[in-house]
Amino acid sequence: MAVELTAAHACLTGYVGIDEAEPLLSWAIDHPEGTVDLSGVNHLHAAVCQVLMACSVRIVAWPRDEDLARWLPPSRVWQHEANAKHTASKQCTDL
Amino acid sequence: MNPLLAQFVDESAELLDRCNEGLLRLEQDPQDRAAVDALFRAMHTLKGNSGLFDFPELTEVLHAAEDVMEALRLGRLQYQPSLGDLVFHLLDVVRQGVADIRVEQKPTAVIAQATALITALKGWLPQGAAEADSIQHEPSAVPEELQLVLPFAAQTALWPVFETVDTLWYIAYRPQPDTFYHGEDPFWHARRTPGVVWGTIVAPRSWPALENFDLYRCVLEFHLVSQAAQADIAHHFQFQRDSVRLCALDRWRLADLGGAEALTAMAGARREALVSLLQRGAWEEWERWLAEEPDASGPAAWFRGFAQAGQQDPDRLRAAVRHWAVSLGLETCVGTEEKPGGLPPSAASRPQEDLGRHDAVMPSTATIRVPAAKIDRLMALVGELVVAKNGLPYLAKKATSEYGAEPLARELRAQYAAIHRIVEDLKMAVFDVRMVPLSTVFQRFPRLVRDLARKLGKQVTLSVVGGETEIDKGVAEILAEPLMHLIRNSLDHGIEPPEERERLGKRVPAELRLSAWYEGDTVIVEVSDDGRGLDSDRIKQRAQEKGIMTASDLARLSERDAWHLIFHPGFSTVDRVSDVSGRGVGMDVVKQVVERSGGRVALDSHKNQGLRVRLMLPLAMMSRRVMVVELGDQPFGVPIEHIVEVVRCAPDGQQSLGQRATLVWRGRSIPLVNLGEMFHTIPGPRLNGFGECAVLVGRVDDAEVGLIVDGFRETVDVIVTPLEGPLAQLSVYEGSALLGDGSVLLVLNLRELIQWQWS
């Protein structure tokens, strides 16, 4: 499964298609403080990208896939990067 | 709606007007350079403004239109009437779209027609331009609105690529908003572009609240740089041609993107050393300079890449460095003995940028925008003040009659005079604020005339005179509709087709005049044409067919009276119903609307020479001047514009013609109406010591009538409010007004009164 959603955390892996966009949006609305792990992602559908960029969730891990990583935008998602670096370890222990 | 968007909507209306005006001028004289420039600037500003909001279709449509304007401006395209039709249509659609934004928060009309409009506009572009605009870009031109989103680090990373290729392609891919519904993943498509060396996702400037977020509407853009051949890129995006903009990125353009920035980021001494050595082309020092650089990434890395990529053309490299240095105020380290080797790379694109910036500058004008509602409120308050002020004379009268305090009464009157003067001044001042030039109404007609004339196959020139005449905003607003009907009627019924005019020896094109001027307290707006004029025989015939009047009544009708039949509801002399006019509504609307605002309509016609319709309108609608007349004990108001004269009439001045009483007045005999009888006031007409009764001579529609009343009082300025509820059925009253002493004055509607009397 490409997306695993828990109360505080979303873990996306592999190819995340458009079907995941809606559940992800609902999750983001319900969990504005939620965190997202993209480390295992190879591709995000543009619709999923939009959702991640539009909502305020924090990305705690960026894709290991270098080709994908270089595309991800210097926008709101990025803004959380600095925070994410600090809190990533804490988040992990929460899990 | 947020204030910025509201401002956009307001300003767009003005810009669209400017576009319309420019286009009309261009149509009259296709060589009019100033008109093309004005049109282009207005379109450009409009497009720029729309880009601030998330209305991609609107921006794209305007962009396409701007391209066409640009082609006109550069002489790559010649103006033709059919292009005018298209652009006029576009302006209408955009106007509707902007109106939609106010209501639905999105330009629905534009969204619906965007693709068709863009395709049509692109069809007009000269072949070369169209191609340059979509996929085959000539290396020197950056599309003006294409903002290269290329971070500093990415630029640095791109330098090594120039070792293998000379030209990279910057690709801005903005997928259609509905792309997801076509099963597409634009991000995947962007990633799969051949030869990608850098790419990023560009998000919109702001995001809506998550609850309102439409996740199936694509709002992302993808910007990338590819080293593939142009043909390969074109092939990859062959189904997205409209969504892709391409710009060639050679080393000099890349240099120009970041050069000044890189130089700025450097410490002072290092920077001067660098400029100096690059100017001198001292490559042996260059290595040393680099070795001394503590931070091997950042600006130094950028310059290393730049120097390596640019070494093949040292002159150009020097020129570029010189340009940046000068722009940063570092002239001292740039040798003066050298003359700049050619233009710096950015010079070519400067003028366009300046144009954009010029439009963006906020004009510092001495005018402010005030919502009309605020002025209306001010006007209403002044109106109330006028009425309240009118209470003082009553108070003075009461001070004398009830309290015997004549000195107090005198002071009250003096005070009243002072307040009266101030209130009058205030009234005039507010009135002045509400005044708008008639050109605000007239400006839409050149377009209307043009469109209708084309549709009807007639040749007409419209001349507009007196657009500067100012009139109350309220009157101006209601004037548009009647004028439109009049102009339509002239074009459809009055003005003959060109062949017929030639046969009659009349001038082609026909002339339609729209003029306005002041006459005392009224403004005259006149629509005249040199067409067929009114045919009273045909009007009579039609009136009979429609059962408006009987044949015998019609036979007695004078020519002038017959003309007025065209104002009868449901009257139309043209057999076919055109979509221009001729539905039998129109002229009656004209009359109704004008009379409702206290104005009059007059006709003058000469067969085969033309028709002249005059609308006589009050300058202001705020307060009405009425004369107070008495019937029994009750006061009634008669609008002053209907009053010709007040006379005393001895019984021997009255005659009976059949059943009708008439009054001989100034050598004419006019019908007499006993208002007292109509209102059943008791006792009958009040006579003075000479046995004379009071007669008010009124005029309605060029017809005079004498009204027998019991007495005259003063004239007052009042605010007439229409009657409400069941009383609204009583059409003999125009409305009611509050007098200064608090009593209610019913204001008579003379026209209805007379019609009621005759029937």
Side-chain angles (χ1 to χ4, degrees):
Chain A
M1 187 161 170
V3 178
E4 273 175 45
L5 300 172
T6 63
H9 194 70
C11 187
L12 282 60
T13 46
Y15 177 92
V16 186
I18 192 167
D19 296 342
E20 313 290 352
E22 197 153 8
L24 198 61
L25 181 63
S26 313
W27 175 81
I29 291 172
D30 296 339
H31 304 94
E33 296 293 307
T35 54
V36 179
D37 181 343
L38 300 176
S39 56
V41 173
N42 300 113
H43 182 73
L44 295 166
H45 190 282
V48 178
C49 279
Q50 288 194 157
V51 169
L52 286 176
M53 291 166 88
C55 63
S56 61
V57 294
R58 208 184 298 137
I59 312 289
V60 289
W62 294 92
R64 284 189 298 267
D65 184 323
E66 280 178 22
D67 182 65
L68 174 63
R70 67 177 183 176
W71 274 90
L72 293 184
S75 69
R76 283 182 59 171
V77 185
W78 274 172
Q79 285 166 20
H80 300 284
E81 187 182 20
N83 297 339
K85 274 178 186 157
H86 292 293
T87 49
S89 54
K90 181 175 167 286
Q91 293 293 340
C92 288
T93 52
D94 283 350
L95 295 168
Chain B
M1 190 158 45
N2 75 51
L4 192 63
L5 188 57
Q7 195 182 352
F8 167 71
V9 171
D10 284 349
E11 284 182 359
S12 298
E14 269 172 39
L15 288 167
L16 286 166
D17 286 345
R18 258 194 267 163
C19 290
N20 248 322
E21 195 193 311
L23 198 54
L24 282 165
R25 273 167 54 198
L26 190 61
E27 184 164 70
Q28 275 163 14
D29 177 11
Q31 305 305 323
D32 189 341
R33 300 281 311 160
V36 184
D37 286 348
L39 187 58
F40 173 77
R41 269 201 304 277
M43 200 72 90
H44 175 78
T45 311
L46 199 56
K47 184 209 74 180
N49 289 355
S50 76
L52 295 174
F53 307 94
D54 187 20
F55 303 133
E57 295 86 357
L58 181 62
T59 311
E60 278 165 26
V61 165
L62 289 169
H63 179 75
E66 190 196 2
D67 284 347
V68 173
M69 296 308 129
E70 168 101 88
L72 279 175
R73 207 163 69 116
L74 299 177
R76 284 191 280 145
L77 178 63
Q78 282 301 309
Y79 180 84
Q80 285 160 39
S82 47
L83 173 63
D85 285 341
L86 173 64
V87 181
F88 274 129
H89 173 64
L90 168 116
L91 293 174
D92 287 344
V93 173
V94 171
R95 195 181 290 275
Q96 183 56 46
V98 171
D100 293 341
I101 292 176
R102 203 185 274 285
V103 185
E104 306 167 38
Q105 320 299 327
K106 58 178 186 192
T108 316
V110 177
I111 293 172
Q113 299 199 38
T115 322
L117 279 172
I118 291 171
T119 316
L121 285 165
K122 288 231 166 106
W124 277 95
L125 280 180
Q127 204 51 38
E131 281 173 4
D133 209 48
S134 57
I135 210 93
Q136 294 184 346
H137 222 289
E138 46 184 296
S140 61
V142 184
E144 193 183 339
E145 85 307 334
L146 175 55
Q147 284 225 320
L148 303 190
V149 185
L150 209 53
F152 196 70
Q155 294 172 23
T156 310
L158 286 180
W159 283 125
V161 186
F162 283 111
E163 285 167 18
T164 49
V165 291
D166 275 335
T167 305
L168 298 175
W169 292 96
Y170 188 96
I171 302 161
Y173 171 31
R174 180 193 281 175
Q176 299 294 325
D178 60 353
T179 186
F180 297 159
Y181 290 104
H182 304 152
E184 288 172 17
D185 176 4
F187 185 23
W188 184 240
H189 198 71
R191 284 183 69 182
R192 297 271 310 276
T193 308
V196 179
V197 285
W198 172 84
T200 195
I201 305 175
V202 179
R205 258 164 256 200
S206 63
W207 294 94
L210 279 189
E211 290 73 19
N212 304 328
F213 183 59
D214 179 1
L215 60 91
Y216 295 115
R217 188 171 171 280
C218 183
V219 294
L220 298 180
E221 279 182 41
F222 302 89
H223 287 215
L224 52 147
V225 174
S226 162
Q227 59 176 336
Q230 189 188 353
D232 294 339
I233 297 172
H235 179 73
H236 182 70
F237 286 106
Q238 58 182 325
F239 301 115
Q240 288 87 11
R241 286 178 76 102
D242 288 342
S243 311
V244 173
R245 289 188 167 260
L246 210 59
C247 161
L249 197 64
D250 63 10
R251 57 200 80 195
W252 303 110
R253 192 180 296 290
L254 185 64
D256 201 41
L257 282 175
E261 190 189 341
L263 214 50
T264 314
M266 225 172 277
R270 300 277 307 154
R271 180 165 68 187
E272 282 167 29
L274 174 72
V275 172
S276 164
L277 76 88
L278 285 178
Q279 281 291 292
R280 284 179 284 121
W283 300 115
E284 60 286 3
E285 287 177 47
W286 169 243
E287 293 300 329
R288 213 166 52 227
W289 184 88
L290 267 183
E292 285 168 17
E293 180 63 34
D295 180 9
S297 62
W302 191 93
F303 266 105
R304 179 212 297 268
F306 166 63
Q308 257 160 23
Q311 263 179 17
Q312 49 162 282
D313 189 351
D315 281 348
R316 195 151 181 196
L317 185 144
R318 265 205 297 280
V321 174
R322 184 188 170 84
H323 177 71
W324 303 326
V326 170
S327 72
L328 291 173
L330 300 172
E331 289 91 340
T332 46
C333 40
V334 183
T336 47
E337 73 283 358
E338 283 183 70
K339 46 184 208 309
L343 277 177
S346 64
S349 57
R350 253 324 111 80
Q352 285 197 339
E353 286 173 24
D354 284 350
L355 189 67
R357 230 172 271 143
H358 170 76
D359 279 345
V361 171
M362 290 295 285
S364 60
T365 55
T367 54
I368 50 167
R369 265 170 207 276
V370 181
K374 284 190 182 173
I375 297 175
D376 289 346
R377 165 129 182 84
L378 199 58
M379 199 68 170
L381 285 172
V382 171
E384 283 175 32
L385 191 60
V386 170
V387 174
K389 170 210 74 171
N390 287 346
L392 282 175
Y394 287 94
L395 205 57
K397 210 185 280 175
K398 204 168 164 189
T400 319
S401 59
E402 285 189 29
Y403 306 107
E406 181 54 35
L408 179 62
R410 211 176 301 132
E411 278 183 39
L412 277 174
R413 275 193 286 269
Q415 197 64 33
Y416 167 76
I419 296 177
H420 174 75
R421 202 185 62 238
I422 297 169
V423 170
E424 283 300 304
D425 284 353
L426 181 62
K427 196 171 89 178
M428 288 317 291
V430 176
F431 183 60
D432 208 40
V433 171
R434 277 179 59 104
M435 295 295 256
V436 292
L438 272 169
S439 56
T440 54
V441 183
F442 287 176
Q443 66 188 10
R444 71 193 73 182
F445 295 122
R447 170 76 193 281
L448 178 80
V449 170
R450 172 199 178 273
D451 286 357
L452 286 186
R454 278 177 72 85
K455 196 184 249 174
L456 295 166
K458 295 184 179 178
Q459 288 180 25
V460 185
T461 55
L462 173 74
S463 56
V464 179
V465 183
E468 71 285 349
T469 312
E470 291 195 326
I471 195 165
D472 184 84
K473 180 175 79 68
V475 184
E477 277 164 8
I478 57 152
L479 200 57
E481 193 188 3
L483 281 180
M484 189 149 77
H485 284 303
L486 289 176
I487 287 176
R488 285 188 167 169
N489 271 309
S490 266
L491 278 164
D492 201 17
H493 308 312
I495 289 169
E496 309 90 339
E499 318 79 67
E500 189 179 334
R501 287 185 72 89
E502 270 166 24
R503 207 170 54 240
L504 293 167
K506 288 171 116 177
R507 216 155 46 86
V508 179
E511 196 188 4
L512 185 61
R513 275 174 73 87
L514 186 58
S515 35
W517 66 92
Y518 296 112
E519 222 171 81
D521 264 359
T522 51
V523 171
I524 317 268
V525 180
E526 188 182 273
V527 179
S528 58
D529 64 53
D530 57 356
R532 296 187 183 107
L534 294 173
D535 183 342
S536 55
D537 292 335
R538 266 192 73 203
I539 293 173
K540 284 184 183 179
Q541 187 193 341
R542 177 52 60 113
Q544 194 182 342
E545 284 166 22
K546 296 254 168 183
I548 294 168
M549 273 179 123
T550 61
S552 55
D553 281 341
L554 283 167
R556 263 180 283 141
L557 221 52
S558 72
E559 189 180 11
R560 194 167 277 270
D561 288 340
W563 295 342
H564 280 269
L565 285 172
I566 63 170
F567 291 121
H568 198 283
F571 182 92
S572 177
T573 57
V574 165
D575 301 314
R576 94 205 125 80
V577 170
S578 67
D579 64 346
V580 178
S581 59
R583 273 180 223 283
V585 293
M587 291 308 269
D588 59 318
V589 173
V590 172
K591 193 169 170 182
Q592 265 173 29
V593 168
V594 171
E595 283 173 359
R596 219 183 298 141
S597 63
R600 295 195 292 130
V601 185
L603 290 174
D604 197 10
S605 167
H606 295 281
K607 199 162 183 189
N608 281 332
Q609 286 179 29
L611 169 67
R612 197 175 68 196
V613 185
R614 274 190 183 180
L615 312 181
M616 283 158 258
L617 297 147
L619 262 180
M621 272 176 36
M622 176 186 64
S623 59
R624 302 276 304 268
R625 183 148 267 246
V626 300
M627 178 178 238
V628 183
V629 298
E630 282 176 18
L631 289 173
D633 293 333
Q634 176 138 27
F636 288 93
V638 179
I640 204 93
E641 64 263 19
H642 289 309
I643 301 177
V644 181
E645 198 174 336
V646 289
V647 291
R648 292 276 169 186
C649 164
D652 59 359
Q654 297 178 25
Q655 295 174 346
S656 286
L657 271 179
Q659 287 187 330
R660 278 178 188 168
T662 60
L663 166 74
V664 180
W665 175 72
R666 295 184 186 272
R668 272 180 281 160
S669 115
I670 59 170
L672 262 184
V673 177
N674 190 339
L675 276 190
E677 257 174 38
M678 284 175 78
F679 286 82
H680 304 296
T681 51
I682 308 215
R686 202 186 291 155
L687 305 176
N688 68 1
F690 302 99
E692 296 165 331
C693 62
V695 176
L696 183 151
V697 180
R699 187 205 305 262
V700 176
D701 292 346
D702 297 334
E704 277 131 4
V705 65
L707 300 171
I708 301 177
V709 294
D710 287 343
F712 302 118
R713 286 203 213 156
E714 71 280 23
T715 57
V716 286
D717 286 324
V718 289
I719 295 170
V720 182
T721 39
L723 295 176
E724 287 173 7
L727 291 177
Q729 307 287 327
L730 300 172
S731 57
V732 291
Y733 297 114
E734 226 167 74
S736 65
L738 212 55
L739 287 177
D741 61 353
S743 63
V744 172
L745 180 75
L746 286 166
V747 178
L748 298 174
N749 183 335
L750 234 50
R751 181 187 321 279
E752 290 289 328
L753 206 66
I754 291 166
Q755 276 177 3
W756 184 47
Q757 167 73 10
W758 285 175
S759 63

